[in-house]
Amino acid sequence: RLKPFNRLQVILQHLKMSKHTDSTAEVLLEKRGGAGIITLNRPKALNALNLSMIQQIYPQIKTWEKDPETFLILIKGTGGKAFCAGGDIRAITDAGKTGDRLAQDFFREEYMLNHAIGTCKKPYVALIDGITMGGGVGLSVHGHFRVATEKTLFAMPETAIGLFPDVGGGYFLPRLSGKIGYYLALTGFRLKGRDVLKAGIATHFVESEKLPALEKDLIALKSPSTENIADLLNSYHAKSKIDQEKEFVLDEHMEKINSLFSANSMEEIVRKLKQDGSPFAIKQLETINKMSPTSLKMTLRQLREGASMSLQDVLTMEYRLSQACMRGHDFYEGVRAVLIDKDQSPRWKPAALEEVSDEFVNDCFKPLGNNDLKL
């Protein structure tokens, strides 16, 4: 039994924790008005998502979903630079090398969180202000509302590190208009500001400096419906004039993107790009040549199959792919070249698309029996 004083200390400690005002916590979870608010709080790491953050966010979303007093869930990042720059790749790399369980657990629990967001019964609003890549896309894109700002920088750059655009990329990317999703997935092309809206990734565009006011207004809504929340977001969106006149960055290339990236195989995409020979096509070739050939083949098939799958089935497929990457060579080499040594010259194995066999790719998609992701 605790002595009374100790018990008081424990209670005070608990109160401090349950308020989540602890600014050192990696994720802050609080209830304000009718809104459950998730704040990613690793500004120095650009709010990169690690396993302990996932393990705090998931049960909280499930709790708020059941709570009759919670009408919406809002997610944002601190520090002004990033919403969330991705998953904690370094930790996963170290774990994968030593055969640590984290390499299984991280992806499993991250994809469970992506699924919880995609199926959430409460309106879910993501303020994607700043860098939003990889794991940060998974925390936002499956929710009802995604609010971009002039500071938003969106990308799925995984093929450059021997991975694939996961976190449900196989679901949302092929559903973007034309072949934009295939283009973004294979080249890692970065979209900025209003272009994130024009590509169909964000649902609204609001000036960055207006977000605190928007948040306040969202919290002040009394038992709002999804329509009420949409109306409020629409009114802010309508008032945002930044870059309103600018045309979509990919507009002039859309015809080419739609024809060049509609091929059935990576080899054919490369052939079409070479045949086209325009400055745009040559630039894409240069980019694709730097990527992991294994990742490119995996990604093209992931998107082609994901186009007609449910989010649940896509995440199950992606979990299989994640574990194939953990077993392989290119992911560790890509992380070394891009994030650790930063020499930007990965030595991929195999080094050419032609050397990545269909059998190898098929293997990556095979069920994992008892280790499959259960959603």
Side-chain angles (χ1 to χ4, degrees):
R1 294 280 304 269
L2 289 168
K3 293 197 178 106
F5 175 67
N6 284 4
R7 193 160 49 207
L8 184 66
Q9 265 188 322
V10 169
I11 291 167
L12 285 173
Q13 192 59 39
H14 180 72
L15 280 172
K16 235 164 81 187
M17 278 302 296
S18 65
K19 265 210 159 101
H20 288 293
T21 45
D22 172 14
S23 62
T24 60
E26 296 179 320
V27 59
L28 311 173
L29 303 161
E30 54 188 327
K31 184 79 192 299
R32 299 205 343 244
I37 299 175
I38 303 164
T39 307
L40 308 173
N41 190 36
R42 294 181 71 203
K44 287 196 177 79
L46 299 176
N47 299 323
L49 189 64
N50 61 28
L51 186 57
S52 84
M53 292 159 81
I54 293 166
Q55 287 171 339
Q56 291 171 72
I57 297 168
Y58 179 85
Q60 188 63 75
I61 286 178
K62 290 297 188 192
T63 303
W64 281 333
E65 200 172 15
K66 290 192 195 82
D67 174 25
E69 301 298 301
T70 303
F71 301 102
L72 74 112
I73 297 171
L74 180 91
I75 186 166
K76 59 180 183 164
T78 51
K81 278 198 185 146
F83 164 65
C84 170
D88 194 351
I89 293 291
R90 281 204 147 158
I92 303 161
T93 313
D94 296 342
K97 280 183 187 158
T98 57
D100 187 297
R101 275 202 61 88
L102 175 73
Q104 293 167 34
D105 296 345
F106 180 86
F107 291 104
R108 187 184 298 278
E109 298 191 35
E110 182 182 28
Y111 297 176
M112 283 171 68
L113 175 55
N114 300 146
H115 186 249
I117 292 166
T119 55
C120 188
K121 294 188 180 58
K122 298 282 164 85
Y124 183 95
V125 183
L127 305 180
I128 55 171
D129 188 32
I131 301 165
T132 305
M133 295 185 185
V137 175
L139 289 176
S140 54
V141 79
H142 305 298
H144 303 87
F145 303 109
R146 288 90 63 189
V147 181
T149 74
E150 73 280 6
K151 296 195 325 199
T152 305
L153 178 62
F154 166 96
M156 292 297 274
E158 287 81 3
T159 55
I161 56 163
L163 213 52
F164 58 97
D166 65 335
V167 297
Y171 181 80
F172 85 88
L173 288 163
R175 284 168 172 76
L176 298 177
S177 70
K179 294 291 171 186
I180 288 181
Y182 291 79
Y183 172 68
L184 296 173
L186 296 168
T187 65
F189 184 80
R190 297 176 166 204
L191 291 170
K192 297 186 179 106
R194 213 177 261 271
D195 286 333
V196 179
L197 171 83
K198 291 181 175 161
I201 293 154
T203 56
H204 294 81
F205 180 89
V206 174
E207 273 119 359
S208 185
E209 61 176 50
K210 299 281 195 306
L211 291 182
L214 170 61
E215 190 180 326
K216 218 170 128 193
D217 286 349
L218 282 167
I219 291 164
L221 289 171
K222 295 278 174 265
S223 58
S225 63
T226 305
E227 288 71 43
N228 300 143
I229 294 163
D231 289 344
L232 178 60
L233 290 169
N234 290 341
S235 74
Y236 269 83
H237 174 81
K239 290 189 205 109
S240 293
K241 300 290 183 244
I242 295 182
D243 292 342
Q244 211 172 17
E245 305 309 312
K246 274 171 76 177
E247 66 163 40
F248 179 45
V249 66
L250 295 174
D251 251 357
E252 53 175 322
H253 305 302
M254 269 327 294
E255 236 173 278
K256 281 201 191 305
I257 287 172
N258 292 341
S259 71
L260 298 168
F261 287 84
S262 62
N264 297 335
S265 71
M266 269 320 297
E267 287 90 341
E268 202 184 326
I269 289 176
V270 168
R271 244 194 329 275
K272 283 178 130 177
L273 286 167
K274 282 181 179 160
Q275 269 167 358
D276 183 278
S278 64
F280 174 75
I282 288 164
K283 207 170 156 198
Q284 305 325 307
L285 262 179
E286 282 172 10
T287 301
I288 283 172
N289 279 331
K290 293 188 183 118
M291 305 304 188
S292 154
T294 302
S295 289
L296 290 168
K297 285 207 168 174
M298 208 184 251
T299 299
L300 183 59
R301 175 159 163 194
Q302 170 207 0
L303 267 57
R304 288 171 60 86
E305 296 203 1
S308 57
M309 287 167 126
S310 66
L311 176 61
Q312 183 174 347
D313 289 342
V314 164
L315 290 165
T316 304
M317 164 178 76
E318 290 181 356
Y319 184 71
R320 293 167 185 169
L321 296 179
S322 77
Q323 297 310 294
C325 289
M326 293 302 105
R327 297 192 299 268
H329 164 273
D330 279 6
F331 171 64
Y332 304 101
E333 175 56 16
V335 171
R336 180 205 65 73
V338 175
L339 300 177
I340 297 171
D341 299 341
K342 299 190 174 158
D343 57 27
Q344 310 300 330
S345 29
R347 291 180 284 283
W348 305 123
K349 278 185 201 163
L353 284 169
E354 294 70 31
E355 294 165 23
V356 182
S357 70
D358 291 347
E359 292 84 57
F360 180 80
V361 177
N362 289 341
D363 265 353
C364 298
F365 285 81
K366 282 200 177 127
L368 299 170
N370 284 338
N371 290 328
D372 255 334
L373 177 67
K374 321 262 191 306
L375 290 169

